[in-house]
RNA sequence: CGGGGUGUAGCGCAGUUGGUAGCGCACUUGACUGGGGGUCAAGAGGUCGCAUGUUCAAGUCAUGUCACUCCGACCA
């Protein structure tokens, strides 16, 4: 088979880029760092959105929408927040263009804004400014809001889906009467994310908290799910933040308790982005193309007819008509690829590249024998089965594939997770890739020094990690828990 | 922001000492083909990123400029 992708072994990074483009997920645009998400890629994102949106609603949240532009002054209200985002903000300074004496379109200097507007890198500030008006009493709490939006972070280096200047995401922003309730909310949403990652994306994730260095700007605690990619690098797949009363104080959001006392509100925020698309690609795909988990595949089953004459195609179409109806009735998305403009071999390769989990091929030979060829994308195995009753088998096969690719990713992570106690071993393991469980003395200095020497960062302090006395891998100082180190995206 | 690279057909690229603009894929038409990316034939498609300069003559040389891209720094 002719390869259109660079192999993972040859150049993993190139493989990823090739795959995103060749599988028609996205491409670079005329604007540096900003991508065009193509229909096939967007269809996957829509499936992700649909599942997540339902989960948010099931946990009591409502959707709303806040402005793209945020007055600059809002950012200065929360000190650490502005420090974290200032270096990557797009700023709107004018609101009008004009034609100059040479006929060129230029910015009209007369149309300078009194106060610059920031294109949101995240919406805490504009939302908390709004919440001040919405929250008066304990009766107004909790306030559980989510928004689906685009945000802009002017990153110096970008990669399709993994880090783009503009990206799509959802951001939840909640307000609570008590600290405990807010912490519970942050943990609940982390669980929503890990459930989604594992049961829909088929991607195992580690749940944990971030070290102070890696924490969200303005958060008291950042919870995260962290996944291991095939090249041994870690990818932060979602975060949920306990914000304490930082934003309530910055934006003066108080409520009156039952006892008629003024109290500041407690906050959380949480988000996942189109970066999940990058995670999905890297978690499962191979040198032949995408491997999509059935639960998120826009097309779950493709049927390729094999024929020479129109009469043969007609006979095949008639044969599969009932099957297509049956699959659709079971909420299985199916495409009958009867394009006459491409040959079967081309179609096989194309659907493989696009990661369709199950492919059926049916030709005159099958019509004569009452059979159908069934190929599964995850293992590339093919078998000839009886056409009769195939619908049930397909349903089961889709479930098996979902489980199999999760298991494969899980096994990979297990094989690439190492418990390390020796500094030289640590350096070697970091270089080779994978999750490294090691003791850390809890100081930012040590974390920074380890990063400087090895490029590894603390990805996660495991939530369910067992307590264990030990000595810091770097400083030798006492530690009571292992943390997860890795090189990260 | 530092260092490298690249701008030539839709995509990927070649283009020698300056002398009529080329290849592969894709595209169009036709025929044959059709169970893993078909074959043959004919065809269409270009102000060579932009500007200035040198020259009888510039894709090629010089200067400038813009864009993209890779590596690093940076990036919750």
């Amino acid at each position: 088979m002719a390869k259109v992708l660079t192999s993972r072994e040859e150049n993993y990074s190139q493989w990823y880029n090739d795959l995103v483009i060749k599988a028609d997920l996205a491409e670079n645009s005329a604007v540096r760092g900003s991508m065009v998400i193509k229909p096939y890629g967007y269809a996957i994102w829509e499936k992700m959105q649909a599942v997540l949106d339902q989960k948010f609603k099931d946990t009591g949240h409502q959707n709303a929408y806040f402005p793209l532009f945020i007055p600059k002054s809002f950012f200065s209200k929360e000190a650490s927040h502005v420090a974290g985002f200032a270096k990557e903000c797009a700023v709107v300074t004018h609101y009008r263009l004009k034609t100059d004496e040479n006929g060129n379109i230029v910015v009209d200097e007369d149309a300078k804004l009194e106060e610059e507007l920031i294109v949101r890198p995240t919406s805490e500030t504009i939302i908390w400014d709004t919440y001040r008006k919405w929250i008066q009493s304990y009766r107004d709490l909790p306030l559980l809001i989510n928004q689906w939006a685009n945000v802009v972070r002017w990153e110096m280096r970008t990669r399709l889906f993994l880090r783009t200047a503009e990206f799509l995401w959802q951001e939840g922003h909640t307000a609570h009467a008590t600290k405990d309730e807010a912490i519970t909310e942050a943990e609940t949403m982390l669980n929503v994310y890990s459930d989604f990652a594992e049961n829909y994306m088929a991607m195992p994730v580690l749940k944990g908290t971030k070290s102070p260095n890696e924490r969200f700007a303005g958060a008291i605690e950042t919870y995260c799910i962290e996944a291991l990619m095939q090249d041994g690098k870690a990818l932060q797949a979602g975060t949920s933040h306990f914000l304490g009363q930082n934003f309530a104080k910055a934006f003066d959001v108080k409520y009156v308790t039952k006892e008629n006392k003024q109290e500041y509100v407690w906050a959380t925020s949480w988000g996942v982005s189109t970066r999940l698309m990058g995670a999905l690609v890297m978690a499962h795909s191979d040198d032949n193309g995408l491997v999509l988990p059935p639960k998120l595949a826009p097309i779950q089953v493709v049927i390729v007819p094999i024929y020479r004459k129109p009469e043969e195609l007609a006979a095949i179409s008639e044969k599969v008509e009932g099957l297509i109806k049956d699959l659709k009735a079971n909420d299985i998305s199916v495409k009958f690829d009867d394009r006459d403009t491409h040959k079967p071999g081309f179609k096989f390769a194309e659907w493989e590249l696009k990661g369709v989990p199950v492919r059926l091929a049916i030709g005159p030979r099958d019509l004569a024998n009452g059979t159908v060829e069934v190929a599964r994308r995850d293992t590339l195995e093919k078998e000839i089965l009886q056409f009769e009753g195939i619908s049930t088998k397909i349903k089961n096969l889709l479930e098996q594939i979902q489980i199999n690719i999760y298991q494969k990713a899980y096994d990979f992570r297990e094989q690439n997770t190492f418990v390390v106690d020796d500094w030289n071993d640590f350096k070697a393991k970091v270089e080779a890739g994978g999750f490294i469980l090691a003791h850390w003395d809890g100081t930012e200095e040590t974390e920074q020094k380890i990063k400087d020497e090895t490029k590894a960062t603390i990805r996660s302090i495991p939530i369910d990690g067992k307590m264990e006395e030990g000595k810091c891998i770097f400083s030798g100082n006492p530690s009571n828990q292992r943390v997860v180190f890795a090189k990260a995206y």
Side-chain angles (χ1 to χ4, degrees), chain A residues 455-469:
Chain A
K455 291 183 183 168
T457 50
I458 297 175
R459 303 318 306 156
S460 173
I461 302 166
I463 279 182
D464 305 318
K466 59 175 188 243
M467 291 297 138
E468 172 195 296
E469 295 303 317

Side-chain angles (χ1 to χ4, degrees), chain A residues 140-151:
Chain A
D140 299 322
L141 298 173
L143 184 55
L144 307 173
I145 303 285
N146 174 66
Q147 87 164 342
W148 290 95
N150 57 339
V151 288

Side-chain angles (χ1 to χ4, degrees), chain A residues 75-312:
Chain A
F75 274 89
S76 44
K77 293 187 178 180
E78 216 290 333
S80 58
H81 190 67
V82 67
F85 286 105
K87 282 182 286 184
E88 50 189 34
C89 285
V91 184
V92 180
T93 54
H94 294 76
Y95 58 85
R96 197 164 62 209
L97 300 173
K98 66 174 183 185
T99 306
D100 72 3
E101 54 275 16
N102 301 319
N104 298 318
I105 300 293
V106 296
V107 171
D108 185 346
E109 292 299 336
D110 293 337
K112 193 165 165 33
L113 290 169
E114 279 297 313
E115 180 180 2
E116 294 90 339
L117 296 171
I118 311 301
V119 181
R120 62 181 166 216
T122 180
S123 301
E124 274 79 5
T125 57
I126 187 88
I127 287 178
W128 278 87
D129 185 69
T130 307
Y131 281 2
R132 185 176 59 249
K133 297 172 222 168
W134 291 3
I135 298 169
Q136 310 296 332
S137 152
Y138 72 92
R139 292 189 178 93
D140 299 322
L141 298 173
L143 184 55
L144 307 173
I145 303 285
N146 174 66
Q147 87 164 342
W148 290 95
N150 57 339
V151 288
V152 169
R153 295 181 187 175
W154 212 266
E155 301 285 356
M156 296 191 206
R157 274 194 72 188
T158 58
R159 297 192 64 193
L160 293 168
F161 289 117
L162 296 175
R163 175 170 286 113
T164 48
E166 177 187 1
F167 56 93
L168 305 183
W169 77 344
Q170 58 71 215
E171 46 181 328
H173 295 273
T174 69
H176 306 266
T178 67
K179 179 182 178 180
D180 284 351
E181 191 184 301
I183 290 173
T184 300
E185 164 77 6
E187 290 171 349
T188 299
M189 299 322 289
L190 186 74
N191 287 329
V192 165
Y193 289 153
S194 70
D195 175 62
F196 174 73
E198 301 201 327
N199 294 318
Y200 289 84
M201 295 176 68
M203 180 176 77
V205 291
L206 286 182
K207 288 191 281 187
T209 58
K210 286 292 185 190
S211 65
N213 255 352
E214 300 279 326
R215 219 172 257 158
F216 177 74
I220 306 291
E221 184 76 277
T222 288
Y223 301 84
C224 61
I225 52 171
E226 206 74 24
L228 186 63
M229 301 294 104
Q230 291 183 58
D231 62 346
K233 285 169 83 175
L235 184 85
Q236 178 177 297
T239 49
S240 177
H241 315 290
F242 167 58
L243 302 172
Q245 294 173 311
N246 290 348
F247 285 92
K249 286 176 179 168
F251 288 89
D252 194 31
V253 186
K254 294 179 192 166
Y255 73 101
V256 178
T257 66
K258 279 183 188 174
E259 295 77 29
N260 198 28
K261 278 187 189 163
Q262 294 274 332
E263 296 279 0
Y264 283 111
V265 170
W266 297 85
T268 81
S269 69
W270 29 273
V272 294
S273 71
T274 36
R275 182 180 236 206
L276 287 181
M277 294 285 295
L280 189 68
V281 170
M282 287 198 292
H284 307 302
S285 302
D286 61 25
D287 292 347
N288 295 316
L290 279 182
V291 175
L292 293 175
K295 286 187 186 176
L296 294 177
I299 299 168
Q300 293 169 303
V301 178
V302 66
I303 304 174
V304 177
I306 294 160
Y307 63 96
R308 299 180 193 207
K309 304 166 201 157
E311 307 88 80
E312 288 173 341

